[in-house]
Amino acid sequence: QFNDATDIVFGMPEAGFVKMEIYNATGQLIQVLIDGELSQGYQRVRWKGNDSRGVPVASGVYLIRYEAGGTMQTRKIVLVR
């Protein structure tokens, strides 16, 4: 749960392509946070609760979809304004 912004921290065991996207509860793509190569090690990306145009999104449940190294994970987050 977060108010204005949240940091998403994750580890990269080796350098490679990463795609991280935010979706709303109905499956609509809200924003692409990462779409490219990252180096090995811990990474941090911040989502400020905005869509791809920079417009603040409403309070609610959002999904973080993370793809790297041939695997995909999804996490739920709750935005409270």
Side-chain angles (χ1 to χ4, degrees):
Q1 185 172 345
F2 69 102
N3 288 337
D4 295 325
T6 186
D7 287 337
I8 304 158
V9 179
F10 59 98
M12 293 282 296
E14 56 187 43
F17 178 81
V18 174
K19 189 163 194 172
M20 184 179 290
E21 301 164 319
I22 304 290
Y23 290 86
N24 65 16
T26 63
Q28 178 185 15
L29 178 63
I30 300 299
Q31 186 176 28
V32 177
L33 297 178
I34 304 170
D35 188 9
E37 295 286 325
L38 291 181
S39 59
Q40 178 183 9
Y42 284 100
Q43 307 291 333
R44 179 184 306 265
V45 63
R46 176 169 281 198
W47 182 46
K48 296 181 179 180
N50 298 329
D51 66 14
S52 59
R53 298 167 298 166
V55 176
V57 297
S59 295
V61 175
Y62 291 86
L63 303 172
I64 302 170
R65 183 174 173 253
Y66 167 81
E67 240 181 284
T71 62
M72 184 178 60
Q73 297 178 13
T74 303
R75 282 183 18 200
K76 271 189 210 177
I77 56 174
V78 178
L79 171 62
V80 179
R81 295 231 182 244

